[in-house]
Amino acid sequence: MARMFGTDGVRGIANKELTNQMAYRLGQAAVVFLGKTIVVGRDTRLSGDMLEAAMVAGIESAGGTALLAGVIPTPAVALLVRKLAAAGGAVISASHNPPEYNGIKLFDAKGFKLPDAMEDRIEEFVQAGGLEATEEGTPTGSDLGFTVQLNDATEIYVMHAVESVRGQGITFEGMTVAIDTGHGASSETSPEALRRLGATVHVINDDYDGCDINVQCGSTHLEPLQQLVAECKADIGIAHDGDADRVMLIAPSGAEIDGDVIEAVCALDMKERGCLANDTAVTTVMCNLGFVHAMRDAGINVVQTKVGDRYVLEEMREHGHSIGGEQSGHMILLEHNSTGDGLMTAVQFIAAVKRSGRTVDEAANVMQKFPQELINVRVQDKGAVMESVTVADAVRAAEEALGDDGRVLLRPSGTEPVVRVMVEAKDAAAAKAHAQAIADTITQ
């Protein structure tokens, strides 16, 4: 049986793969394994109401208190857990996935995602039938739990981001910022934070109907934001995914600024200010070779982990590093939050650019990218593909052809029935040709 928890919580098609019963038992598990008080937030998906109701019922049935934050970014829940001294947090979101998907991710009392060992214990509890299947059973009478509405949840999160910049003596006065919130959880928070910092803000896709989150917009579809940046002559464009734990940026020229470039700019700024712990930046094996070269040229060590912000965070916590990120726009700045935070990343990037005295386009040139080709191949059995001798031969052939001038990375998605083929090379045509050859082999 496949593991219930993927790289970013439990995820699947709502009401089919991710059921109300599962949400109910995960609510119980949150109380049993984390503690009595659980902050609950969600994104804008239509299934969010249903799954929230089921999860809250589970929390209450276990004698816990559900602190409802409503529609709010994932990093805000991590922050609220700490600010309110809660025992844990739960976010009902499928991040960048399509609207029919949903997910549940859990945070501990410090706002960190749970380690694999804890997830395994929770999975065993859920599959065994929850509290109803235990000898103690469920509480009754006055031992039942209840719900509290958090009326100031978004305000706490917005001010946390605003004060992080004001505390550096930075203002965004005179800047024009374009934002695409992807019909998602940041539709209120990110525009408000930027306005309070003094920027003139132009927003698209800040409405939602529950079925439009991430659809041809947000951090995975940057064309609408590029058009907005051009139309309003913005100094920078900001795009979030559905739960706003990641961010992608657009320069005034229309150029895409991904997580590698964002991390490079922020790491260099932190080193300049003397707050880059261990002179080290953490990233994943998916990062561009240009990032590694730029960091080494600046005297910054680079540590690479498996793909997934949880593995980046584990490395940071174990060795005391202060910045880590992924090419996809997940950025962890432990000085400010305990998980990926799209809003915090955006405002810290802008602050770094303003300190440098350069334009956004100039700042983004701190690293020169090697061409990368990424192909997502939809499959029925990820395990079979990864164990295939034929596929392994195709990968080996590409690696031998590229030599030291490139690399190949083949990995299964942690959240979708997809195998990702990434090839990096000095020559874009070579990267594309080798990636397509491997993808064709997988398809066949």
PDB file of all heavy atoms in Angstrom, residues 109-138:
ATOM      1  N   ALA A 109       3.969  22.108  17.451  1.00  0.00           N
ATOM      2  CA  ALA A 109       3.794  23.302  18.278  1.00  0.00           C
ATOM      3  C   ALA A 109       4.763  24.428  17.930  1.00  0.00           C
ATOM      4  O   ALA A 109       4.531  25.588  18.295  1.00  0.00           O
ATOM      5  CB  ALA A 109       3.941  22.933  19.754  1.00  0.00           C
ATOM      6  N   LYS A 110       5.830  24.112  17.217  1.00  0.00           N
ATOM      7  CA  LYS A 110       6.788  25.135  16.802  1.00  0.00           C
ATOM      8  C   LYS A 110       6.549  25.594  15.368  1.00  0.00           C
ATOM      9  O   LYS A 110       7.332  26.373  14.830  1.00  0.00           O
ATOM     10  CB  LYS A 110       8.213  24.606  16.959  1.00  0.00           C
ATOM     11  CG  LYS A 110       8.601  24.332  18.411  1.00  0.00           C
ATOM     12  CD  LYS A 110      10.040  23.842  18.510  1.00  0.00           C
ATOM     13  CE  LYS A 110      10.440  23.588  19.955  1.00  0.00           C
ATOM     14  NZ  LYS A 110      11.843  23.081  20.059  1.00  0.00           N
ATOM     15  N   GLY A 111       5.479  25.081  14.751  1.00  0.00           N
ATOM     16  CA  GLY A 111       5.157  25.479  13.390  1.00  0.00           C
ATOM     17  C   GLY A 111       5.927  24.728  12.332  1.00  0.00           C
ATOM     18  O   GLY A 111       5.952  25.143  11.160  1.00  0.00           O
ATOM     19  N   PHE A 112       6.529  23.600  12.689  1.00  0.00           N
ATOM     20  CA  PHE A 112       7.272  22.799  11.725  1.00  0.00           C
ATOM     21  C   PHE A 112       6.439  21.625  11.240  1.00  0.00           C
ATOM     22  O   PHE A 112       5.620  21.079  11.994  1.00  0.00           O
ATOM     23  CB  PHE A 112       8.565  22.260  12.351  1.00  0.00           C
ATOM     24  CG  PHE A 112       9.589  23.319  12.639  1.00  0.00           C
ATOM     25  CD1 PHE A 112       9.979  23.587  13.950  1.00  0.00           C
ATOM     26  CD2 PHE A 112      10.177  24.043  11.614  1.00  0.00           C
ATOM     27  CE1 PHE A 112      10.934  24.556  14.230  1.00  0.00           C
ATOM     28  CE2 PHE A 112      11.127  25.025  11.880  1.00  0.00           C
ATOM     29  CZ  PHE A 112      11.501  25.282  13.184  1.00  0.00           C
ATOM     30  N   LYS A 113       6.671  21.221   9.988  1.00  0.00           N
ATOM     31  CA  LYS A 113       6.027  20.019   9.472  1.00  0.00           C
ATOM     32  C   LYS A 113       6.527  18.800  10.234  1.00  0.00           C
ATOM     33  O   LYS A 113       7.642  18.790  10.761  1.00  0.00           O
ATOM     34  CB  LYS A 113       6.306  19.872   7.970  1.00  0.00           C
ATOM     35  CG  LYS A 113       5.612  20.950   7.134  1.00  0.00           C
ATOM     36  CD  LYS A 113       5.923  20.807   5.657  1.00  0.00           C
ATOM     37  CE  LYS A 113       5.239  21.908   4.862  1.00  0.00           C
ATOM     38  NZ  LYS A 113       5.549  21.833   3.419  1.00  0.00           N
ATOM     39  N   LEU A 114       5.704  17.767  10.289  1.00  0.00           N
ATOM     40  CA  LEU A 114       6.011  16.603  11.115  1.00  0.00           C
ATOM     41  C   LEU A 114       7.064  15.720  10.468  1.00  0.00           C
ATOM     42  O   LEU A 114       7.087  15.562   9.247  1.00  0.00           O
ATOM     43  CB  LEU A 114       4.738  15.793  11.360  1.00  0.00           C
ATOM     44  CG  LEU A 114       3.532  16.548  11.917  1.00  0.00           C
ATOM     45  CD1 LEU A 114       2.398  15.565  12.208  1.00  0.00           C
ATOM     46  CD2 LEU A 114       3.895  17.330  13.174  1.00  0.00           C
ATOM     47  N   PRO A 115       7.923  15.099  11.258  1.00  0.00           N
ATOM     48  CA  PRO A 115       8.895  14.152  10.709  1.00  0.00           C
ATOM     49  C   PRO A 115       8.213  12.882  10.223  1.00  0.00           C
ATOM     50  O   PRO A 115       7.081  12.577  10.619  1.00  0.00           O
ATOM     51  CB  PRO A 115       9.823  13.868  11.900  1.00  0.00           C
ATOM     52  CG  PRO A 115       8.989  14.142  13.105  1.00  0.00           C
ATOM     53  CD  PRO A 115       8.062  15.264  12.719  1.00  0.00           C
ATOM     54  N   ASP A 116       8.904  12.136   9.388  1.00  0.00           N
ATOM     55  CA  ASP A 116       8.345  10.911   8.810  1.00  0.00           C
ATOM     56  C   ASP A 116       7.860   9.944   9.884  1.00  0.00           C
ATOM     57  O   ASP A 116       6.805   9.315   9.731  1.00  0.00           O
ATOM     58  CB  ASP A 116       9.398  10.212   7.941  1.00  0.00           C
ATOM     59  CG  ASP A 116       9.668  10.953   6.637  1.00  0.00           C
ATOM     60  OD1 ASP A 116       8.893  11.872   6.307  1.00  0.00           O
ATOM     61  OD2 ASP A 116      10.648  10.623   5.955  1.00  0.00           O
ATOM     62  N   ALA A 117       8.628   9.808  10.966  1.00  0.00           N
ATOM     63  CA  ALA A 117       8.265   8.845  12.011  1.00  0.00           C
ATOM     64  C   ALA A 117       6.919   9.191  12.634  1.00  0.00           C
ATOM     65  O   ALA A 117       6.091   8.304  12.896  1.00  0.00           O
ATOM     66  CB  ALA A 117       9.350   8.798  13.084  1.00  0.00           C
ATOM     67  N   MET A 118       6.665  10.474  12.872  1.00  0.00           N
ATOM     68  CA  MET A 118       5.381  10.891  13.432  1.00  0.00           C
ATOM     69  C   MET A 118       4.256  10.675  12.429  1.00  0.00           C
ATOM     70  O   MET A 118       3.162  10.224  12.785  1.00  0.00           O
ATOM     71  CB  MET A 118       5.444  12.366  13.842  1.00  0.00           C
ATOM     72  CG  MET A 118       4.125  12.927  14.349  1.00  0.00           C
ATOM     73  SD  MET A 118       3.591  12.191  15.907  1.00  0.00           S
ATOM     74  CE  MET A 118       4.653  13.090  17.053  1.00  0.00           C
ATOM     75  N   GLU A 119       4.504  10.976  11.163  1.00  0.00           N
ATOM     76  CA  GLU A 119       3.491  10.736  10.135  1.00  0.00           C
ATOM     77  C   GLU A 119       3.146   9.257  10.049  1.00  0.00           C
ATOM     78  O   GLU A 119       1.975   8.900   9.848  1.00  0.00           O
ATOM     79  CB  GLU A 119       3.980  11.260   8.788  1.00  0.00           C
ATOM     80  CG  GLU A 119       4.010  12.781   8.685  1.00  0.00           C
ATOM     81  CD  GLU A 119       4.435  13.274   7.324  1.00  0.00           C
ATOM     82  OE1 GLU A 119       4.995  12.484   6.539  1.00  0.00           O
ATOM     83  OE2 GLU A 119       4.214  14.467   7.022  1.00  0.00           O
ATOM     84  N   ASP A 120       4.141   8.405  10.203  1.00  0.00           N
ATOM     85  CA  ASP A 120       3.879   6.963  10.152  1.00  0.00           C
ATOM     86  C   ASP A 120       2.975   6.528  11.311  1.00  0.00           C
ATOM     87  O   ASP A 120       2.078   5.686  11.131  1.00  0.00           O
ATOM     88  CB  ASP A 120       5.195   6.187  10.210  1.00  0.00           C
ATOM     89  CG  ASP A 120       5.996   6.305   8.908  1.00  0.00           C
ATOM     90  OD1 ASP A 120       5.399   6.669   7.881  1.00  0.00           O
ATOM     91  OD2 ASP A 120       7.215   6.038   8.944  1.00  0.00           O
ATOM     92  N   ARG A 121       3.182   7.097  12.473  1.00  0.00           N
ATOM     93  CA  ARG A 121       2.343   6.765  13.632  1.00  0.00           C
ATOM     94  C   ARG A 121       0.904   7.251  13.404  1.00  0.00           C
ATOM     95  O   ARG A 121      -0.061   6.556  13.731  1.00  0.00           O
ATOM     96  CB  ARG A 121       2.908   7.395  14.904  1.00  0.00           C
ATOM     97  CG  ARG A 121       4.229   6.804  15.371  1.00  0.00           C
ATOM     98  CD  ARG A 121       4.784   7.572  16.546  1.00  0.00           C
ATOM     99  NE  ARG A 121       3.907   7.484  17.705  1.00  0.00           N
ATOM    100  CZ  ARG A 121       3.975   8.309  18.754  1.00  0.00           C
ATOM    101  NH1 ARG A 121       4.877   9.285  18.779  1.00  0.00           N
ATOM    102  NH2 ARG A 121       3.154   8.162  19.768  1.00  0.00           N
ATOM    103  N   ILE A 122       0.776   8.436  12.825  1.00  0.00           N
ATOM    104  CA  ILE A 122      -0.558   8.975  12.540  1.00  0.00           C
ATOM    105  C   ILE A 122      -1.251   8.126  11.478  1.00  0.00           C
ATOM    106  O   ILE A 122      -2.454   7.831  11.587  1.00  0.00           O
ATOM    107  CB  ILE A 122      -0.449  10.451  12.095  1.00  0.00           C
ATOM    108  CG1 ILE A 122      -0.038  11.320  13.284  1.00  0.00           C
ATOM    109  CG2 ILE A 122      -1.769  10.941  11.496  1.00  0.00           C
ATOM    110  CD1 ILE A 122       0.243  12.764  12.929  1.00  0.00           C
ATOM    111  N   GLU A 123      -0.515   7.727  10.454  1.00  0.00           N
ATOM    112  CA  GLU A 123      -1.095   6.884   9.409  1.00  0.00           C
ATOM    113  C   GLU A 123      -1.608   5.570   9.990  1.00  0.00           C
ATOM    114  O   GLU A 123      -2.711   5.115   9.649  1.00  0.00           O
ATOM    115  CB  GLU A 123      -0.063   6.611   8.324  1.00  0.00           C
ATOM    116  CG  GLU A 123      -0.581   5.718   7.206  1.00  0.00           C
ATOM    117  CD  GLU A 123       0.369   5.613   6.036  1.00  0.00           C
ATOM    118  OE1 GLU A 123       1.332   6.394   5.965  1.00  0.00           O
ATOM    119  OE2 GLU A 123       0.139   4.746   5.181  1.00  0.00           O
ATOM    120  N   GLU A 124      -0.847   4.976  10.870  1.00  0.00           N
ATOM    121  CA  GLU A 124      -1.266   3.723  11.506  1.00  0.00           C
ATOM    122  C   GLU A 124      -2.549   3.931  12.316  1.00  0.00           C
ATOM    123  O   GLU A 124      -3.469   3.105  12.274  1.00  0.00           O
ATOM    124  CB  GLU A 124      -0.148   3.214  12.419  1.00  0.00           C
ATOM    125  CG  GLU A 124      -0.430   1.872  13.067  1.00  0.00           C
ATOM    126  CD  GLU A 124       0.715   1.398  13.941  1.00  0.00           C
ATOM    127  OE1 GLU A 124       1.777   2.042  13.947  1.00  0.00           O
ATOM    128  OE2 GLU A 124       0.542   0.368  14.636  1.00  0.00           O
ATOM    129  N   PHE A 125      -2.613   5.052  13.022  1.00  0.00           N
ATOM    130  CA  PHE A 125      -3.803   5.394  13.820  1.00  0.00           C
ATOM    131  C   PHE A 125      -5.028   5.560  12.923  1.00  0.00           C
ATOM    132  O   PHE A 125      -6.117   5.034  13.218  1.00  0.00           O
ATOM    133  CB  PHE A 125      -3.524   6.688  14.593  1.00  0.00           C
ATOM    134  CG  PHE A 125      -4.708   7.284  15.302  1.00  0.00           C
ATOM    135  CD1 PHE A 125      -5.037   6.884  16.593  1.00  0.00           C
ATOM    136  CD2 PHE A 125      -5.486   8.261  14.695  1.00  0.00           C
ATOM    137  CE1 PHE A 125      -6.120   7.447  17.255  1.00  0.00           C
ATOM    138  CE2 PHE A 125      -6.570   8.829  15.348  1.00  0.00           C
ATOM    139  CZ  PHE A 125      -6.882   8.406  16.635  1.00  0.00           C
ATOM    140  N   VAL A 126      -4.878   6.285  11.809  1.00  0.00           N
ATOM    141  CA  VAL A 126      -5.992   6.545  10.894  1.00  0.00           C
ATOM    142  C   VAL A 126      -6.474   5.248  10.257  1.00  0.00           C
ATOM    143  O   VAL A 126      -7.686   4.970  10.203  1.00  0.00           O
ATOM    144  CB  VAL A 126      -5.566   7.562   9.812  1.00  0.00           C
ATOM    145  CG1 VAL A 126      -6.613   7.641   8.694  1.00  0.00           C
ATOM    146  CG2 VAL A 126      -5.355   8.946  10.427  1.00  0.00           C
ATOM    147  N   GLN A 127      -5.550   4.433   9.795  1.00  0.00           N
ATOM    148  CA  GLN A 127      -5.932   3.195   9.105  1.00  0.00           C
ATOM    149  C   GLN A 127      -6.526   2.158  10.059  1.00  0.00           C
ATOM    150  O   GLN A 127      -7.312   1.302   9.642  1.00  0.00           O
ATOM    151  CB  GLN A 127      -4.719   2.628   8.382  1.00  0.00           C
ATOM    152  CG  GLN A 127      -4.284   3.487   7.197  1.00  0.00           C
ATOM    153  CD  GLN A 127      -3.087   2.924   6.458  1.00  0.00           C
ATOM    154  OE1 GLN A 127      -2.408   2.015   6.946  1.00  0.00           O
ATOM    155  NE2 GLN A 127      -2.833   3.456   5.265  1.00  0.00           N
ATOM    156  N   ALA A 128      -6.192   2.276  11.343  1.00  0.00           N
ATOM    157  CA  ALA A 128      -6.749   1.347  12.335  1.00  0.00           C
ATOM    158  C   ALA A 128      -8.172   1.708  12.744  1.00  0.00           C
ATOM    159  O   ALA A 128      -8.858   0.914  13.394  1.00  0.00           O
ATOM    160  CB  ALA A 128      -5.852   1.304  13.565  1.00  0.00           C
ATOM    161  N   GLY A 129      -8.636   2.913  12.347  1.00  0.00           N
ATOM    162  CA  GLY A 129     -10.014   3.294  12.669  1.00  0.00           C
ATOM    163  C   GLY A 129     -10.166   4.450  13.619  1.00  0.00           C
ATOM    164  O   GLY A 129     -11.275   4.753  14.074  1.00  0.00           O
ATOM    165  N   GLY A 130      -9.067   5.145  13.951  1.00  0.00           N
ATOM    166  CA  GLY A 130      -9.156   6.315  14.809  1.00  0.00           C
ATOM    167  C   GLY A 130      -9.456   5.980  16.258  1.00  0.00           C
ATOM    168  O   GLY A 130      -9.298   4.841  16.710  1.00  0.00           O
ATOM    169  N   LEU A 131      -9.920   6.960  17.011  1.00  0.00           N
ATOM    170  CA  LEU A 131     -10.195   6.777  18.444  1.00  0.00           C
ATOM    171  C   LEU A 131     -11.271   5.729  18.687  1.00  0.00           C
ATOM    172  O   LEU A 131     -11.239   5.018  19.695  1.00  0.00           O
ATOM    173  CB  LEU A 131     -10.633   8.104  19.072  1.00  0.00           C
ATOM    174  CG  LEU A 131      -9.542   9.024  19.620  1.00  0.00           C
ATOM    175  CD1 LEU A 131     -10.172  10.272  20.208  1.00  0.00           C
ATOM    176  CD2 LEU A 131      -8.689   8.312  20.654  1.00  0.00           C
ATOM    177  N   GLU A 132     -12.230   5.643  17.775  1.00  0.00           N
ATOM    178  CA  GLU A 132     -13.321   4.681  17.952  1.00  0.00           C
ATOM    179  C   GLU A 132     -12.814   3.245  18.029  1.00  0.00           C
ATOM    180  O   GLU A 132     -13.473   2.377  18.601  1.00  0.00           O
ATOM    181  CB  GLU A 132     -14.330   4.808  16.806  1.00  0.00           C
ATOM    182  CG  GLU A 132     -15.232   6.051  16.885  1.00  0.00           C
ATOM    183  CD  GLU A 132     -14.558   7.301  16.350  1.00  0.00           C
ATOM    184  OE1 GLU A 132     -13.382   7.226  15.943  1.00  0.00           O
ATOM    185  OE2 GLU A 132     -15.186   8.357  16.349  1.00  0.00           O
ATOM    186  N   ALA A 133     -11.640   2.998  17.446  1.00  0.00           N
ATOM    187  CA  ALA A 133     -11.095   1.640  17.433  1.00  0.00           C
ATOM    188  C   ALA A 133     -10.157   1.356  18.607  1.00  0.00           C
ATOM    189  O   ALA A 133      -9.652   0.247  18.737  1.00  0.00           O
ATOM    190  CB  ALA A 133     -10.340   1.403  16.120  1.00  0.00           C
ATOM    191  N   THR A 134      -9.948   2.363  19.463  1.00  0.00           N
ATOM    192  CA  THR A 134      -9.050   2.164  20.598  1.00  0.00           C
ATOM    193  C   THR A 134      -9.818   1.669  21.814  1.00  0.00           C
ATOM    194  O   THR A 134     -11.047   1.759  21.889  1.00  0.00           O
ATOM    195  CB  THR A 134      -8.345   3.479  20.974  1.00  0.00           C
ATOM    196  OG1 THR A 134      -9.325   4.433  21.418  1.00  0.00           O
ATOM    197  CG2 THR A 134      -7.585   4.038  19.775  1.00  0.00           C
ATOM    198  N   GLU A 135      -9.082   1.189  22.782  1.00  0.00           N
ATOM    199  CA  GLU A 135      -9.699   0.679  23.999  1.00  0.00           C
ATOM    200  C   GLU A 135     -10.358   1.797  24.798  1.00  0.00           C
ATOM    201  O   GLU A 135     -11.410   1.621  25.399  1.00  0.00           O
ATOM    202  CB  GLU A 135      -8.618  -0.009  24.859  1.00  0.00           C
ATOM    203  CG  GLU A 135      -9.168  -0.803  26.031  1.00  0.00           C
ATOM    204  CD  GLU A 135      -8.081  -1.590  26.744  1.00  0.00           C
ATOM    205  OE1 GLU A 135      -7.253  -2.212  26.050  1.00  0.00           O
ATOM    206  OE2 GLU A 135      -8.062  -1.559  27.976  1.00  0.00           O
ATOM    207  N   GLU A 136      -9.740   2.987  24.768  1.00  0.00           N
ATOM    208  CA  GLU A 136     -10.296   4.126  25.514  1.00  0.00           C
ATOM    209  C   GLU A 136     -11.550   4.679  24.853  1.00  0.00           C
ATOM    210  O   GLU A 136     -12.449   5.183  25.531  1.00  0.00           O
ATOM    211  CB  GLU A 136      -9.248   5.249  25.625  1.00  0.00           C
ATOM    212  CG  GLU A 136      -7.978   4.861  26.372  1.00  0.00           C
ATOM    213  CD  GLU A 136      -6.999   4.095  25.485  1.00  0.00           C
ATOM    214  OE1 GLU A 136      -7.266   3.994  24.252  1.00  0.00           O
ATOM    215  OE2 GLU A 136      -5.994   3.585  26.005  1.00  0.00           O
ATOM    216  N   GLY A 137     -11.627   4.609  23.535  1.00  0.00           N
ATOM    217  CA  GLY A 137     -12.773   5.144  22.808  1.00  0.00           C
ATOM    218  C   GLY A 137     -12.783   6.659  22.810  1.00  0.00           C
ATOM    219  O   GLY A 137     -11.797   7.315  23.152  1.00  0.00           O
ATOM    220  N   THR A 138     -13.913   7.246  22.449  1.00  0.00           N
ATOM    221  CA  THR A 138     -14.034   8.698  22.357  1.00  0.00           C
ATOM    222  C   THR A 138     -14.635   9.276  23.631  1.00  0.00           C
ATOM    223  O   THR A 138     -15.442   8.634  24.303  1.00  0.00           O
ATOM    224  CB  THR A 138     -14.930   9.082  21.167  1.00  0.00           C
ATOM    225  OG1 THR A 138     -16.164   8.357  21.265  1.00  0.00           O
ATOM    226  CG2 THR A 138     -14.260   8.736  19.851  1.00  0.00           C
TER     227      THR A 138
END
